[in-house]
Amino acid sequence: MKECIIMESRLKIAVLSGKGGTGKTLVSVNLAYTAKKALYLDCDVEEPNGHLFFKPDNLTKEDVSVKIPYVNDYLCNGCKKCVDFCKFNALAYINNKVKVFSEVCHSCGGCMEICPESAISEINKSIGKIEKGNLEDVTVVSGILNTGEASGVPIIKAMIDDENINEQVTIVDCPPGSACIVMESIKDADYCLLVAEPTLFGSHNLKMVYDLVRLFKKPFGVVLNKTQDGFNPSKEFCENNKIKILSEIPFDAELGKLNSDGKIVSKENRRYHDLFAKLLTDITKEAQNEAIINS
């Protein structure tokens, strides 16, 4: 059934939502499947689930680590310059020793540079991994954050900055919300697609990511998911703010069953294949028009 959409130039699309469960992964997975030679990046590193739909073959795993300070107690003279320098409170002087709190360390290396006794060096700390595989023409990359780690930003950075991956279409399945990990996910995007539910809570969360993409000055559009007859607060928000609605996905029992069974709906259902193929084409046109305007 798969009919690929051939793009004229490389395009990176970031798919966002203000909270989990809006259908962000549904949209991301199906956009990637309907594209030709696509790259799917699951940047929701705390709860990656795109692989449950793709079930990729030829899996490889790569560890992701960060640098954290290591203090040589024999060289340390207790001056506490490193403690005073650290703005993240990752260092403390306790019982005549410098204590490192790696959970809040931002790996800036400043404490090592400022130490007058060269008592601080750096060691690697594993924070997670990246898994790569493929399904047909889709390269599937999932970031997985170790339990208990505070930030998945280094994993997302490693995924997005991977120079060995150079597909024509990249779909970035962003984490929900608008925190730092989302900012890292969209920083290089050519176009942002915001997914929203038809509820008051959904419109509130839509506003969160709407404010974020405007802050980053990214071109964007909206997909309204689970639409039904009657009042739709998210649609009203789009109309009031002159936001382009690119597609509406109806509340549908068949789609819900396919999705809950871990199926790619555009692969299983011709109607939804056409819907996501059209959505990808419309996004491409929007991104190209934006590029022409800004050139």
Side-chain angles (χ1 to χ4, degrees):
M1 178 190 287
K2 184 175 181 182
E3 295 176 5
C4 299
I5 307 299
I6 300 176
M7 322 305 286
E8 296 179 2
S9 59
R10 292 186 180 91
L11 179 65
K12 183 176 287 186
I13 304 166
V15 185
L16 304 85
S17 65
K19 71 172 188 67
T22 59
K24 171 176 56 62
T25 295
L26 166 72
V27 173
S28 300
V29 164
N30 285 278
L31 283 178
Y33 187 79
T34 55
K36 182 176 177 62
K37 297 293 290 181
L39 168 63
Y40 169 82
L41 298 179
D42 193 345
C43 291
D44 189 1
V45 296
E46 294 182 8
E47 297 181 280
N49 61 348
H51 65 282
L52 299 176
F53 297 92
F54 286 111
K55 304 172 183 64
D57 298 319
N58 307 315
L59 274 180
T60 62
K61 298 181 181 181
E62 173 189 343
D63 187 67
V64 179
S65 60
V66 295
K67 300 287 186 182
I68 61 170
Y70 171 79
V71 182
N72 186 326
D73 295 332
Y74 293 101
L75 295 177
C76 178
N77 67 1
C79 70
K80 294 188 282 188
K81 287 185 178 180
C82 58
V83 176
D84 295 336
F85 172 83
C86 184
K87 303 304 180 185
F88 302 105
N89 298 316
L91 301 172
Y93 195 69
I94 304 173
N95 293 332
N96 299 319
K97 289 184 179 181
V98 175
K99 169 73 173 176
V100 178
F101 299 95
S102 61
E103 295 83 0
V104 292
C105 176
H106 281 54
S107 304
C108 71
C111 58
M112 183 175 64
E113 295 295 328
I114 204 170
C115 179
E117 302 299 322
S118 299
I120 301 178
S121 57
E122 290 181 323
I123 58 175
N124 287 326
K125 176 192 176 186
S126 174
I127 62 165
K129 61 185 176 181
I130 296 173
E131 290 187 350
K132 298 179 184 178
N134 62 277
L135 171 69
E136 299 176 19
D137 294 327
V138 182
T139 301
V140 181
V141 183
S142 301
I144 304 169
L145 183 68
N146 288 343
T147 302
E149 292 297 334
S151 174
V153 168
I155 297 177
I156 295 172
K157 182 176 175 59
M159 294 168 66
I160 291 177
D161 292 347
D162 190 346
E163 295 179 354
N164 296 318
I165 301 175
N166 195 22
E167 305 294 3
Q168 205 151 19
V169 179
T170 298
I171 306 297
V172 182
D173 189 351
C174 298
S178 56
C180 296
I181 50 176
V182 183
M183 297 179 193
E184 188 69 31
S185 301
I186 72 170
K187 67 176 186 179
D188 295 326
D190 300 304
Y191 193 87
C192 290
L193 186 64
L194 317 183
V195 183
E197 294 177 319
T199 63
L200 287 171
F201 192 35
S203 65
H204 169 77
N205 286 280
L206 172 59
K207 184 181 184 303
M208 289 170 52
V209 287
Y210 166 70
D211 290 339
L212 179 66
V213 295
R214 290 184 68 207
L215 179 66
F216 275 73
K217 298 180 179 178
K218 296 290 185 180
F220 64 93
V222 169
V223 169
L224 299 177
N225 191 26
K226 307 175 189 175
T227 59
Q228 303 181 71
D229 294 335
F231 177 58
N232 186 331
S234 294
K235 187 171 186 177
E236 182 182 63
F237 177 82
C238 292
E239 292 171 347
N240 290 342
N241 290 277
K242 297 181 172 55
I243 302 170
K244 187 157 191 175
I245 299 172
L246 296 176
S247 183
E248 296 189 27
I249 303 173
F251 186 84
D252 178 54
E254 181 185 0
L255 185 151
K257 185 176 188 309
L258 288 171
N259 200 50
S260 63
D261 288 341
K263 304 290 187 181
I264 300 175
V265 297
S266 58
K267 182 180 181 181
E268 304 292 332
N269 184 299
R270 181 72 202 191
R271 177 163 61 98
Y272 284 108
H273 174 275
D274 293 344
L275 184 152
F276 285 106
K278 182 180 184 303
L279 176 59
L280 183 58
T281 300
D282 291 343
I283 292 171
T284 304
K285 291 177 181 177
E286 289 288 314
Q288 290 171 345
N289 290 339
E290 189 71 22
I292 292 171
I293 291 172
N294 293 327
S295 62

